[in-house]
Amino acid sequence: MQDANLQRRLILDIPTGFLLLFFVMPLAALVTLSFWQTENYKIVHEWTLMNYGTLATERAYITFFLRSLVMAIGVSVTLVALSWPIAYFIVRYGGRYRIIFSLLLVIPFLSGEVLRLIALQGMLGPAGLVNGALIRMGAAPLRMIMYSNAASFIAFIYLYLPLVVTTIYLSLINFDFRLAHAASACGANRFRIFTEVVWPLNLSGTIVGFMLAFIPTLSASLVPRFLGGPNGTLYGMSMAQQFGESGTWALGAAMGVVLFLFSAIALAILSYGVDLRRTGFTGLGRQ
Amino acid sequence: MSNTSSYIRIDKVSRRYGAFKALDDVSLDISKEEFIAILGPSGSGKSTLLRLIAGLDRPTEGRIHFEGKDVTELAPHKRGIGMVFQEFLLFPHRTVRENLAFPLRMRNEAKAEIEERVEWVAGILSLSTMLDRYPSQLSGGQQQRVALGRGLVARPTLLLLDEPLANLDRELRQEMEIEIRRYQKQLGIPFIYVTHNQEEALSMSDRIAVINNGRLEALGERQAIYDHPQTPFVARFVGKSSKFQGVVQPDGATVRLARHDYEFALPPDKKFNPGDAVEIFVKNERFDISSKQDGGVGIPSTVVDVVLRGPFLEYVLETDRGDTVIAVKPKRNDPIPIRERVLLSWNPADCHIFKDGADDARR
Amino acid sequence: MNPNFTDSLIKWTLAVFLVVVFAFLYMPIVHILFASLSTRPNFPYPPEFNVASYIRLSTNTVYQSAFLNSLLLASCTAVLSTVLGFLATVGVLRFAGKRALIYAIFFAAPLFVAEILLGISSMALYYMLFELQGNMLTAIIANAVHCFSFCFLIMAAMLYKYDWRMNEAAIVCGASPLRSFFEVMLPITWPGIMGSLITAFVLSLNGLDVSFYLLGATPTMPSVAWGALRYGVKPELYALSSLINIVVFAMIIALLVAIRLKRKAA
Ligand SMILES: Nc1ncnc2c1ncn2[C@@H]1O[C@H](COP(=O)(O)OP(=O)(O)OP(=O)(O)O)[C@@H](O)[C@H]1O
Ligand SMILES: [Mg+2]
């Protein structure tokens, strides 16, 4: 009796403790740090709201944040729109090649952001494949895709497409398509089947996919630094700079807290707007 | 049964989940070579009892002894038991042969011995031709036999079966009932067989333990449980019967039904006070049906339907007060026609009478 | 319109779309593979087969030590996060009872916190508490936090379908709990566990954000690549990227083949 209970407790307590120590504690430290100050690369333990004041008043930060927000929303919406047909095709028509298709989508994701950006740079850069080919054909190089927000946008799509497709794929593959047939038998046409049955029942998976693209885009530092050009500074990049070159840790921490709060609010809004039961969510128990 | 002769002894065992008692003070002695059925409705605690015997769960109170040894704290894999589950739970990544060999390997038997035992058990269960198949390549009945074989192969001290036939279709089930009973007699170890199906319990076991709401309601030879139920619950649950309400008349010797114009004499061994409200249970096959013209006594009823059940006829009757009663009779060439008016009665010695609310009073 | 016609129209439109997407995803990868094998990395067409950049990569000591560091980091992270993820999965599926959903959300939460925030906040914590500059151990732990959620979800998806009473069936057959794990549970659920190990390994092998803030001067593959990137892309980087892609590809193929073989045997 006793040891069985102990075993149960340990099995849940070990991962919980791990997350509390190394996930929650650091975030708490970040919050604390955001209320302190940095002077000459030294942390001054004095409570202040100055960092948040700077963020709320300085034009540059507001611009960065809004730019990031627009970018993140645009990227995530585009990704969801792109991913749905792909995932739908694989699940409906993939047959026994489903696994191959889905793995082929995942593989590029696995080689990591830096290396994938290098590959993308080979495509988009001034000397990259696209412009190289254009020049060779005697056309003018496309300026739009070099060091601009458009280049960043393409890069985000390239980076996170596999992640979003996989999430929606996983949602669809657990979806019982006989429900769609049932709806069809009830007289619904293709469009109605989609809007009344397929979409709502896969909404929670779609939201997860949306968030998984939204959050890293909102906080991206590599892409804008590397592809964004002079007008492409995004919030995450600026935050990274506070911890790097400028050495203003406390301000960076405040930026981090804002970022975290904002992601949490976005997640909350999205999941609050959705009645889980109407998305077919049945909890975690086996039925 | 005396303490010394009992092979398995379950002594005042309870299992609580918080305030809820899944099993409440159950005692049971099981002798070697006995086939005992644990019968009860869904949620009554049958599986809980079996899991306690297997050691997969520990009782909150009480002790369990195997052959005089207290095993209450013993880990399940050291108890030397066999167990068969309703879902079979064959190992999908192992062939039939490997599934059957599994308990022997776990007991570190020698290779030759393992082979010999597997051949033996495959022989008695007629599995010899499918030893190299995987469970997914077997039919339900074959999987069931493999599960049984896996329970039996290592000569367990007892075999626990938790509704092993529930997932099979009716015909196969009846076939397996006979086989399982035969293996038990052949092997001479106790089988503890959990079921919510009273027919299964009646056809296979030597003794039946009826469980309801975690408590042992009745324990006895199967015939006694069937013919002489000691509580209203057992009367209702074992066999198919109909229930009537009645009142003991002022003379203390007759009972009058509350909703029907029918009186019968109390059997001499039943003692009630005049005015007592009673519940009367009559097994469906114990009804007498007489034609209205014959002028006997009984509950006036109409035949609504006649259903053929093999060698029996099942009459669906509607009493004049609107209750539906089913009466089972041996098949005849000239069954009573539908819409015929009849009188329904029974031999007072064949019905079971309890004081109204006896079930609640026990709780 | 004929519904069959509409159906196949939809199907083929989607198929073409899928091909375009695959091209979009793979063109850069194939392009730099050619670039890494060419003497003209900017426009390597027609392709050549020149391994000079691979030789330069393999003799570069910075990349060598970065490779070893990354390997150490990724292996430890993979094992740590898979073990923790396994405990979390078992805990949520078996022992959490009514609180399963709460635990599941908590365990998946790191997925919704940007990697860079994990790196920065861990750095802040260690710096504030211990004045620590960050080292391999802290980098492994922070990476494991990030990978943990992936491992948890991957294994939960696998174990969700697992019938836990299979373990009990083994135990009543006389297997000790440990033996029932190795003989029954592991053989049935290994694709999920393997998938979790591979995912965590690959994620932490390539992740820059966490290591960047927690490893200080210790070079890892992504941080060296990032460093080199700031001074213009070099063919060695193309070679490195191609190598990693090939290894990942081979690992996935091996996993697929292994599953196939197992299934064929069954
Ligand atoms: N882990 C548990 N926690 C709380 N209650 C439990 C637990 N396991 C069983 N119970 C309760 O104990 C009671 C008995 O359960 P048990 O599984 O023994 O029923 P059963 O007689 O085998 O029913 P069935 O015929 O449906 O299998 C049920 O009411 C059940 O809800
Ligand atoms: Mg049960």
Side-chain angles (χ1 to χ4, degrees):
Chain A
M1 229 32 238
Q2 246 60 37
D3 47 285
N5 265 340
L6 189 71
Q7 192 189 334
R8 264 157 215 241
R9 293 285 296 281
L10 279 183
I11 281 180
L12 272 169
D13 284 356
I14 290 176
T16 307
F18 175 76
L19 282 195
L20 285 179
L21 268 183
F22 299 112
F23 174 61
V24 178
M25 277 259 292
L27 289 176
L30 193 72
V31 174
T32 315
L33 183 57
S34 75
F35 289 107
W36 287 348
Q37 284 266 18
T38 21
E39 265 168 32
N40 300 328
Y41 299 90
K42 285 248 153 55
I43 294 172
V44 182
H45 297 219
E46 246 168 57
W47 298 95
T48 169
L49 282 171
M50 221 173 75
N51 299 314
Y52 291 97
T54 311
L55 286 184
T57 50
E58 196 101 4
R59 280 284 292 281
Y61 295 122
I62 299 174
T63 313
F64 296 157
F65 185 78
L66 290 180
R67 195 184 281 153
S68 275
L69 187 60
V70 171
M71 178 71 86
I73 292 176
V75 164
S76 318
V77 169
T78 312
L79 277 173
V80 167
L82 288 177
S83 303
W84 254 92
I86 302 171
Y88 189 83
F89 175 82
I90 297 177
V91 171
R92 278 327 294 279
Y93 304 111
R96 55 206 195 87
Y97 299 111
R98 270 184 193 164
I99 296 235
I100 311 252
F101 276 135
S102 48
L103 279 179
L104 278 177
L105 280 167
V106 176
I107 288 169
F109 176 71
L110 294 180
S111 59
E113 247 180 68
V114 180
L115 297 182
R116 296 186 70 205
L117 278 178
I118 290 172
L120 205 60
Q121 172 77 354
M123 297 288 296
L124 300 179
L129 178 62
V130 175
N131 281 329
L134 285 175
I135 290 168
R136 246 152 265 248
M137 288 187 308
L142 267 178
R143 297 225 163 269
M144 208 190 84
I145 59 166
M146 301 187 304
Y147 305 117
S148 65
N149 282 314
S152 294
F153 182 82
I154 296 177
F156 285 128
I157 298 285
Y158 181 67
L159 287 178
Y160 303 129
L161 183 70
L163 196 57
V164 182
V165 177
T166 307
T167 317
I168 294 177
Y169 168 81
L170 287 178
S171 170
L172 274 173
I173 203 147
N174 289 315
F175 171 72
D176 189 347
F177 271 94
R178 284 175 305 181
L179 292 176
H181 296 158
S184 163
C186 294
N189 63 21
R190 258 187 208 84
F191 179 71
R192 298 291 296 273
I193 292 175
F194 184 81
T195 55
E196 307 245 339
V197 180
V198 183
W199 171 261
L201 285 177
N202 288 287
L203 195 52
S204 39
T206 308
I207 288 175
V208 173
F210 182 96
M211 287 310 290
L212 288 185
F214 182 85
I215 286 167
T217 308
L218 193 65
S219 62
S221 67
L222 296 189
V223 172
R225 188 163 193 159
F226 189 43
L227 290 170
N231 281 326
T233 307
L234 294 181
Y235 187 79
M237 172 178 167
S238 165
M239 177 172 80
Q241 274 163 356
Q242 314 301 330
F243 287 89
E245 293 94 325
S246 13
T248 39
W249 283 38
L251 181 60
M255 293 182 80
V257 172
V258 169
L259 184 69
F260 175 72
L261 286 181
F262 199 81
S263 326
I265 290 171
L267 187 60
I269 289 175
L270 278 183
S271 23
Y272 188 75
V274 178
D275 181 350
L276 275 183
R277 249 162 306 154
R278 289 188 63 97
T279 67
F281 187 85
T282 49
L284 283 170
R286 298 153 142 276
Q287 287 102 353
Chain B
M1 213 168 290
S2 82
N3 292 352
T4 44
S5 81
S6 72
Y7 186 68
I8 310 289
R9 187 169 157 73
I10 294 156
D11 190 18
K12 300 204 180 75
V13 159
S14 298
R15 176 67 171 103
R16 294 168 204 267
Y17 292 109
F20 175 73
K21 279 188 169 175
L23 216 54
D24 188 3
D25 197 23
V26 169
S27 295
L28 200 58
D29 286 292
I30 299 163
S31 64
K32 207 170 181 225
E33 310 189 359
E34 179 173 40
F35 196 127
I36 185 158
I38 313 256
L39 176 64
S42 186
S44 55
K46 308 180 296 288
S47 298
T48 306
L49 177 59
L50 214 59
R51 291 170 56 80
L52 292 178
I53 300 174
L56 294 171
D57 199 357
R58 300 272 168 86
T60 32
E61 289 123 68
R63 315 300 298 176
I64 295 170
H65 302 263
F66 286 4
E67 297 177 276
K69 213 177 87 209
D70 187 339
V71 296
T72 319
E73 304 296 330
L74 192 65
H77 59 281
K78 293 179 185 147
R79 294 194 181 189
I81 50 167
M83 189 160 176
V84 183
F85 299 84
Q86 177 178 336
E87 295 84 0
F88 310 149
L89 299 180
L90 299 178
F91 306 130
H93 58 300
R94 298 266 158 101
T95 60
V96 170
R97 185 190 302 280
E98 289 164 337
N99 265 287
L100 291 177
F102 190 86
L104 298 163
R105 282 205 302 120
M106 294 305 117
R107 288 164 169 82
N108 298 322
E109 302 277 2
K111 235 187 162 105
E113 167 77 2
I114 292 180
E115 255 167 55
E116 190 185 316
R117 295 291 298 171
V118 169
E119 292 298 334
W120 167 78
V121 82
I124 59 170
L125 290 163
S126 5
L127 288 167
S128 306
T129 55
M130 45 198 95
L131 281 177
D132 292 312
R133 292 206 214 154
Y134 282 87
S136 57
Q137 296 167 312
L138 300 179
S139 74
Q142 289 161 345
Q143 290 184 26
Q144 211 287 322
R145 290 212 297 274
V146 178
L148 199 57
R150 194 178 62 183
L152 289 175
V153 69
R155 300 177 208 268
T157 43
L158 84 161
L159 188 69
L160 305 169
L161 305 103
D162 193 351
E163 312 213 18
L165 303 182
N167 281 350
L168 301 182
D169 63 46
R170 196 185 158 86
E171 216 153 298
L172 200 53
R173 208 158 63 207
Q174 286 173 348
E175 205 172 293
M176 289 304 298
E177 279 172 17
I178 299 168
E179 302 239 328
I180 290 179
R181 183 165 166 82
R182 192 161 58 82
Y183 304 139
Q184 194 265 326
K185 295 293 164 237
Q186 199 173 331
L187 296 171
I189 56 167
F191 277 28
I192 303 181
Y193 188 102
V194 159
T195 179
H196 64 256
N197 179 333
Q198 44 106 10
E199 285 172 38
E200 233 168 68
L202 288 168
S203 65
M204 298 169 81
S205 59
D206 301 318
R207 281 197 304 161
I208 297 179
V210 183
I211 295 201
N212 186 29
N213 286 327
R215 306 181 58 132
L216 192 64
E217 282 268 344
L219 173 66
E221 306 286 324
R222 57 178 163 174
Q223 199 64 45
I225 294 279
Y226 187 83
D227 287 337
H228 306 290
Q230 296 301 311
T231 69
F233 174 79
V234 177
R236 190 167 51 225
F237 194 69
V238 180
K240 291 186 177 151
S241 51
S242 300
K243 182 174 116 175
F244 300 90
Q245 304 285 344
V247 181
V248 178
Q249 294 303 292
D251 61 3
T254 50
V255 179
R256 184 175 179 78
L257 296 194
R259 280 168 61 80
H260 304 284
D261 182 20
Y262 180 54
E263 268 186 24
F264 62 94
L266 267 177
D269 57 327
K270 296 279 183 189
K271 293 277 175 280
F272 291 103
N273 297 324
D276 275 353
V278 290
E279 287 178 317
I280 302 123
F281 294 88
V282 186
K283 293 247 153 58
N284 288 352
E285 70 274 14
R286 295 282 161 82
F287 283 113
D288 293 324
I289 305 175
S290 56
S291 174
K292 193 116 196 206
Q293 289 98 38
D294 295 355
V297 287
I299 305 172
S301 317
T302 313
V303 178
V304 181
D305 200 0
V306 183
V307 182
L308 182 61
R309 296 234 185 254
F312 299 101
L313 284 174
E314 203 175 278
Y315 291 101
V316 182
L317 307 174
E318 194 179 299
T319 66
D320 287 1
R321 299 294 299 263
D323 299 340
T324 301
V325 175
I326 292 175
V328 176
K329 293 271 132 198
K331 194 172 155 199
R332 292 200 322 215
N333 285 334
D334 55 338
I336 307 171
I338 294 179
R339 274 194 290 284
E340 179 90 351
R341 303 277 299 153
V342 293
L343 290 171
L344 190 63
S345 58
W346 53 83
N347 179 349
D350 279 347
C351 67
H352 312 299
I353 306 173
F354 303 95
K355 198 159 169 177
D356 201 4
D359 252 348
D360 308 324
R362 286 163 44 83
R363 221 147 282 144
Chain C
M1 234 189 307
N2 180 336
N4 276 338
F5 177 73
T6 323
D7 265 346
S8 49
L9 188 71
I10 292 178
K11 179 175 169 181
W12 285 109
T13 316
L14 287 176
V16 169
F17 185 61
L18 186 73
V19 170
V20 172
V21 166
F22 273 127
F24 173 60
L25 284 178
Y26 278 88
M27 227 155 60
I29 293 175
V30 175
H31 174 68
I32 61 158
L33 176 65
F34 287 146
S36 71
L37 287 168
S38 174
T39 45
R40 296 162 287 121
N42 282 342
F43 199 80
Y45 304 98
E48 296 172 42
F49 191 79
N50 181 321
V51 291
S53 56
Y54 287 86
I55 293 172
R56 254 177 293 143
L57 179 70
S58 65
T59 50
N60 186 330
T61 51
V62 178
Y63 281 114
Q64 279 170 3
S65 68
F67 176 72
L68 290 180
N69 286 332
S70 279
L71 207 61
L72 177 68
L73 176 78
S75 329
C76 295
T77 304
V79 173
L80 180 62
S81 50
T82 299
V83 168
L84 287 169
F86 185 79
L87 290 179
T89 310
V90 174
V92 166
L93 290 179
R94 290 218 64 189
F95 300 130
K98 289 196 195 95
R99 266 170 276 163
L101 190 59
I102 295 172
Y103 274 111
I105 290 173
F106 181 54
F107 290 152
L111 211 57
F112 296 98
V113 173
E115 232 182 309
I116 188 169
L117 269 183
L118 283 179
I120 290 173
S121 59
S122 303
M123 174 173 77
L125 175 72
Y126 297 131
Y127 192 82
M128 278 164 53
L129 273 189
F130 314 111
E131 302 263 318
L132 262 181
Q133 279 297 341
N135 54 39
M136 191 52 113
L137 183 67
T138 57
I140 288 173
I141 288 175
N143 263 309
V145 170
H146 177 64
C147 297
F148 170 82
S149 295
F150 282 94
C151 297
F152 167 66
L153 291 180
I154 290 173
M155 283 186 286
M158 186 74 208
L159 290 181
Y160 184 60
K161 295 189 193 122
Y162 180 71
D163 191 339
W164 294 94
R165 299 196 313 157
M166 212 54 113
N167 290 10
E168 294 187 346
I171 286 174
V172 293
C173 283
S176 65
L178 196 67
R179 204 151 174 202
S180 83
F181 173 77
F182 281 110
E183 296 249 4
V184 175
M185 187 163 174
L186 198 58
I188 297 177
T189 58
W190 72 271
I193 294 170
M194 220 40 217
S196 153
L197 276 174
I198 292 182
T199 308
F201 182 84
V202 169
L203 282 177
S204 50
L205 187 71
N206 293 314
L208 174 65
D209 284 324
V210 168
S211 317
F212 191 80
Y213 293 102
L214 288 176
L215 267 182
T218 317
T220 63
M221 299 259 270
S223 70
V224 170
W226 174 244
L229 199 54
R230 291 203 269 178
Y231 306 104
V233 175
K234 296 195 191 118
E236 287 99 317
L237 281 181
Y238 287 161
L240 175 69
S241 180
S242 300
L243 268 184
I244 299 246
N245 275 320
I246 290 168
V247 170
V248 168
F249 208 82
M251 266 160 58
I252 299 278
I253 298 277
L255 182 69
L256 265 187
V257 170
I259 293 178
R260 259 307 123 82
L261 285 183
K262 267 272 158 83
R263 201 168 290 165
K264 200 159 273 174

